[in-house]
Amino acid sequence: MRHLLTSVVALLLLCACSGTTAEEMASLAAKGYYEHLISGEYEHFLAGKAGADSFPKLYREQLIIGYKQFMAQQEKTHHGIHEIRIVDAKADTLVQCMNVFLVFCYGDSTNEQVAVPMVEHHGVWRMR
């Protein structure tokens, strides 16, 4: 958790100094969280979920099991996720979030685009 927070703070400082847009910051955060997932760093991925700090222990454990099962299924079906690419990000003012569009590049040469709703809280972008 500390590693993730340090990375996020460093990213925010870099972005603040370089004039990075909210779309770019949300996109980089979403990509980073999913890179944790494909690296097997399930706790770091979970820490990227909005409200994860207050999840009960049993629920957290169930989510981690679900993440492991998801990655095992991706390995079986597509030979794993080898790369995450950022495609776009658009603000959704109706529900006050940023929809980040990522492409999962699989080991079997197929790709899948996914939408990741992101919310910003105290300068940190997290998955909704």
Side-chain angles (χ1 to χ4, degrees):
M1 181 74 154
R2 179 171 283 175
H3 170 69
L4 175 65
L5 291 176
T6 302
S7 298
V8 170
V9 169
L11 177 65
L12 289 174
L13 289 174
L14 176 66
C15 293
C17 294
S18 65
T20 304
T21 66
E23 289 84 358
E24 291 169 326
M25 291 184 349
S27 296
L28 290 171
K31 180 181 179 192
Y33 295 137
Y34 273 91
E35 286 175 342
H36 283 300
L37 180 67
I38 65 174
S39 296
E41 299 169 342
Y42 305 114
E43 287 287 340
H44 292 300
F45 179 75
L46 178 58
K49 299 273 294 170
D53 299 345
S54 61
F55 291 168
K57 182 180 177 184
L58 182 59
Y59 182 57
R60 294 175 67 83
E61 291 170 358
Q62 291 172 339
L63 287 172
I64 297 293
I65 290 168
Y67 300 151
K68 290 177 182 180
Q69 290 172 340
F70 171 76
M71 291 308 296
Q73 181 63 39
Q74 298 311 305
E75 186 64 40
K76 179 180 176 184
T77 307
H78 298 289
H79 305 293
I81 302 171
H82 287 231
E83 183 182 1
I84 306 286
R85 293 185 189 149
I86 298 169
V87 176
D88 198 6
K90 296 185 191 271
D92 186 338
T93 54
L94 184 63
V95 292
Q96 298 181 337
C97 75
M98 185 76 64
N99 287 312
V100 174
F101 300 93
L102 302 175
V103 169
F104 292 174
C105 303
Y106 293 105
D108 65 1
S109 300
T110 60
N111 297 316
E112 178 181 13
Q113 184 170 321
V114 298
V116 182
M118 302 288 289
V119 293
E120 188 259 339
H121 184 68
H122 298 299
V124 178
W125 286 95
R126 296 225 169 129
M127 298 175 289
R128 194 172 90 185

